[in-house]
């Protein structure tokens, strides 16, 4: 989930020069926690977009449609050549998107179908991660719902998946599914409570947690609880997480009826579910740094650049942008982007070139797909936005 500094191939740069649309970022209110004291500093910046700005007040962003005609693309992980692996939840397919391009955008190729996937409800083929040593070991990791559990497997593309961690509780919803390597080189996975609320507070259960394991599936050294893969607990349903430029971890969380959250994730942290939802004022639990009403959020994906969090929202049909201070607090007011323009938005990933890739999720049974759906979008921010291109 954390971008690596691979150069962008020339053929991919050329493909992205076409089919750009410029939008403006509107300012919208929300409730957020008190940031720690910190000098703001200067945010990183993209080059100014070459497309003509529209009318309005806010920050420019150039949005390019990279690929069309996908079905419920759930997660995005980048390869050393600048292309990406994309999972499709319901089909069990792993797609390679780019770096080669054609008249309609980046080429999309099915590179593997995981036949063990048992897709139903919110379950299916979910997260994907590329080994930090992919150039040498060619290894890919995936999180999926099987017949009896959610599990993490490892494989080389085209090879047979080998279980890494099994027994993660499954249900029709709240399956979590986030997967990614942290800056420490260990594999992190987010799980949902699988409908068993109290399991999120049970350290012996893998439900409602963020897990930290070795690539072989063992609890990673330094975990907070002895011989346990649990890194944090008290989560209802985390699907997306990322690290900022200071190597701080953040996760986006589905609330129940009132508040959706972004949390800064710390070792051994308890995030309160099911005792609290949103900011509860209970010192036993860590407070979210941002919270939104579920109607304007219900966010699945989370990407981070040096000082910007970008979360992609399903029910809210928008992105939220949260600028961070040097200490990891919230700077100013979170802002919304792409509201109602592309429908339900699911995955968000920081690409090696500093852009943000986002997927739509209009074929998931809760959206209103158009003929181009589902799509992969690329966003480049201008005039003080975060990231570098």
């Amino acid at each position: 989930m954390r971008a690596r500094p691979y150069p962008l191939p020339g053929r991919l740069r050329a493909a992205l020069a076409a089919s750009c649309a410029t939008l403006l970022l509107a300012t919208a209110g929300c409730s957020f926690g008190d940031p720690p004291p910190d000098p703001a500093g200067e945010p990183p910046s993209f080059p100014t977009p070459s497309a003509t700005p529209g009318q309005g007040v806010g920050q420019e962003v150039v949005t390019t449609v990279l690929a069309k005609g996908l079905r419920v693309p759930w997660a995005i992980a980048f390869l050393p050549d600048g292309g990406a692996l994309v999972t499709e939840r319901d089909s069990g397919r792993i797609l390679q998107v780019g770096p080669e391009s054609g008249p309609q955008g980046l080429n999309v190729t099915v590179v593997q179908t995981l036949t063990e996937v048992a897709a139903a409800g919110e379950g299916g083929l979910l997260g994907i991660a590329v080994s930090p040593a992919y150039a040498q070991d060619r290894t890919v990791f995936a999180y999926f719902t099987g017949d009896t559990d959610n599990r993490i497997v490892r494989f080389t593309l085209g090879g047979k998946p080998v279980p890494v961690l099994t027994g993660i509780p499954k249900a029709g919803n709240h399956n979590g599914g986030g997967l990614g390597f942290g800056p420490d080189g260990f594999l992190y996975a987010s799980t949902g409570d699988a409908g068993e609320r109290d399991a999120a507070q049970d350290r012996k259960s893998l439900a409602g947690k963020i897990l930290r394991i070795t690539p072989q599936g063992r609890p990673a050294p330094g975990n907070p609880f002895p011989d346990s893969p649990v890194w944090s607990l008290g989560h209802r349903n985390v699907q997306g997480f990322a690290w900022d430029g200071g190597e701080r971890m953040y996760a986006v969380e589905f609330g129940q009826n009132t508040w959706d959250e972004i949390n800064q994730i710390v070792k051994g942290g308890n995030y309160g579910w099911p005792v609290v939802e949103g900011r509860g004022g209970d010192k036993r639990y860590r407070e979210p740094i941002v919270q939104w009403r579920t109607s304007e959020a219900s966010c699945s994906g989370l990407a981070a650049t040096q000082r910007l969090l970008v979360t992609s929202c399903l029910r809210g049909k928008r992105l939220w942008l949260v600028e961070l201070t040097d200490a990891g607090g919230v700077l100013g007011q979170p802002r919304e982007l792409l509201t109602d323009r592309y429908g339900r938005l699911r995955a968000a990933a920081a690409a090696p070139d500093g852009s943000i890739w986002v997927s739509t999720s209009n074929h998931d049974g809760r959206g209103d797909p158009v003929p181009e759906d589902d799509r992969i979008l690329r966003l480049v921010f201008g005039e003080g936005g975060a990231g570098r291109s």
Side-chain angles (χ1 to χ4, degrees):
M1 304 204 30
R2 187 168 182 262
R4 286 168 288 278
Y6 301 126
L8 185 67
R11 57 183 178 277
L12 182 52
R13 290 197 302 269
L16 296 175
S19 186
C20 291
T22 299
L23 303 172
L24 286 173
L25 178 62
T27 301
C30 70
S31 174
F32 53 93
D34 297 327
D38 183 62
E42 291 297 327
S45 61
F46 277 118
T48 301
S50 58
T52 304
Q55 299 297 315
V57 177
Q59 184 183 34
E60 291 178 349
V61 60
V62 173
T63 304
T64 307
V65 177
L66 296 180
K68 308 173 185 177
L70 282 63
R71 290 296 182 269
V72 197
W74 205 96
I76 300 168
F78 291 94
L79 295 166
D81 65 2
L85 298 179
V86 177
T87 58
E88 287 187 329
R89 185 189 70 184
D90 297 346
S91 70
R93 300 192 306 177
I94 299 173
L95 312 176
Q96 181 167 335
V97 179
E100 292 80 11
S101 63
Q104 301 302 315
L106 297 184
N107 292 348
V108 178
T109 306
V110 179
V111 292
Q112 188 155 351
T113 299
L114 299 187
T115 57
E116 303 92 338
V117 171
E122 296 176 2
L125 178 54
L126 306 177
I128 191 165
V130 171
S131 166
Y134 183 84
Q136 290 75 45
D137 62 28
R138 316 297 289 182
T139 302
V140 175
F141 297 78
Y143 182 122
F144 68 81
T145 309
D147 290 331
T148 60
D149 61 1
N150 287 302
R151 55 181 50 202
I152 299 169
V153 297
R154 59 182 293 164
F155 53 98
T156 58
L157 291 176
K160 182 177 177 57
V162 176
V164 169
L165 183 64
T166 61
I168 302 169
K170 61 168 281 189
N173 53 20
H174 302 186
N175 289 292
L179 196 63
F181 279 93
D184 57 8
F186 292 111
L187 184 63
Y188 289 73
S190 59
T191 72
D193 68 9
E196 298 292 335
R197 297 158 54 105
D198 292 340
Q201 290 294 324
D202 182 356
R203 293 181 186 175
K204 296 180 181 179
S205 172
L206 297 181
K209 308 295 189 298
I210 291 177
L211 310 176
R212 176 176 176 263
I213 60 176
T214 69
Q216 294 74 38
R218 299 294 303 162
N223 279 4
F225 311 114
D227 299 318
S228 171
V230 172
W231 184 250
S232 63
L233 67 156
H235 299 290
R236 183 172 182 266
N237 192 26
V238 170
Q239 294 184 350
F241 53 82
W243 289 264
D244 69 5
E247 298 188 351
R248 289 174 289 256
M249 185 181 186
Y250 300 85
V252 63
E253 177 124 11
F254 287 92
Q256 184 173 24
N257 299 313
T258 308
W259 297 114
D260 295 323
E261 309 170 3
I262 292 180
N263 289 290
Q264 186 180 129
I265 303 300
V266 299
K267 176 181 178 179
N270 189 328
Y271 293 83
W273 179 255
V275 183
V276 294
E277 177 185 356
R279 300 185 69 194
D282 189 325
K283 295 185 182 299
R284 295 175 297 172
Y285 308 116
R286 294 190 62 87
E287 300 275 40
I289 64 167
V290 181
Q291 63 181 26
W292 295 276
R293 295 290 182 182
T294 56
S295 60
E296 58 187 11
S298 299
C299 305
S300 176
L302 185 67
T305 61
Q306 288 293 314
R307 289 183 46 189
L308 187 75
L309 299 178
V310 181
T311 184
S312 47
C313 306
L314 294 163
R315 184 179 175 189
K317 298 180 180 178
R318 71 195 73 183
L319 299 175
W320 281 105
L321 274 62
V322 179
E323 191 170 357
L324 301 172
T325 67
D326 288 342
V330 177
L331 178 64
Q333 196 83 335
R335 297 161 290 173
E336 62 181 289
L337 177 67
L338 303 184
T339 304
D340 292 325
R341 183 172 179 89
Y342 293 100
R344 293 165 61 82
L345 303 178
R346 184 176 294 276
D353 67 345
S355 65
I356 302 294
W357 287 26
V358 172
S359 74
T360 71
S361 192
N362 293 313
H363 278 285
D364 64 7
R366 296 175 179 172
D368 298 305
V370 299
E372 291 186 342
D373 280 326
D374 277 314
R375 290 167 278 186
I376 302 292
L377 313 174
R378 178 183 186 258
L379 280 68
V380 175
F381 298 95
E383 297 187 1
R388 302 192 184 281
S389 178

